[in-house]
């Protein structure tokens, strides 16, 4: 694989991670939850062959409880 192909592949992985973050942000917003630190982990993108990780970050206890309540409601609905 050429260097150009490797850069394109790496950029594709980063774009996929960005899309995943935006999709997760929108989904959480749809149920009233905002994770203020939600982002792509910059360290995971720092190498020549990045393997982007989604950093869910830190949140308040209230946000954690809202997220838990939404997950519990979804699980109850699905069972």
């Amino acid at each position: 694989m050429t260097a150009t192909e490797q850069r394109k592949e790496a950029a594709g992985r980063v774009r996929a991670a960005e899309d995943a973050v935006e999709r997760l942000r929108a989904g959480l917003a749809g149920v009233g939850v905002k994770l203020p630190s939600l982002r792509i982990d910059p360290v995971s993108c720092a190498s020549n062959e990045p393997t982007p990780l989604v950093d869910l970050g830190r949140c308040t206890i209230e946000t954690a409880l809202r997220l838990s309540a939404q997950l519990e409601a979804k699980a109850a609905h699905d069972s």
Side-chain angles (χ1 to χ4, degrees):
M1 180 179 290
T2 68
T4 300
E5 291 169 332
Q6 287 176 332
R7 281 192 298 276
K8 284 183 181 180
E9 186 176 302
R13 286 192 297 270
V14 172
R15 272 192 304 279
E18 289 168 343
D19 291 345
V21 166
E22 288 309 313
R23 198 169 156 194
L24 181 56
R25 184 174 285 123
L28 289 168
V31 294
V33 175
K34 179 180 180 184
L35 297 178
S37 302
L38 179 63
R39 66 184 183 144
I40 296 174
D41 173 47
V43 175
S44 66
C45 296
S47 71
N48 288 336
E49 294 183 32
T51 306
L53 298 173
V54 174
D55 185 352
L56 300 176
R58 301 168 4 171
C59 65
T60 65
I61 293 168
E62 292 79 13
T63 299
L65 291 172
R66 280 196 311 275
L67 180 56
S68 295
Q70 291 298 327
L71 293 170
E72 290 162 1
K74 175 71 172 135
H77 180 267
D78 289 349
S79 46

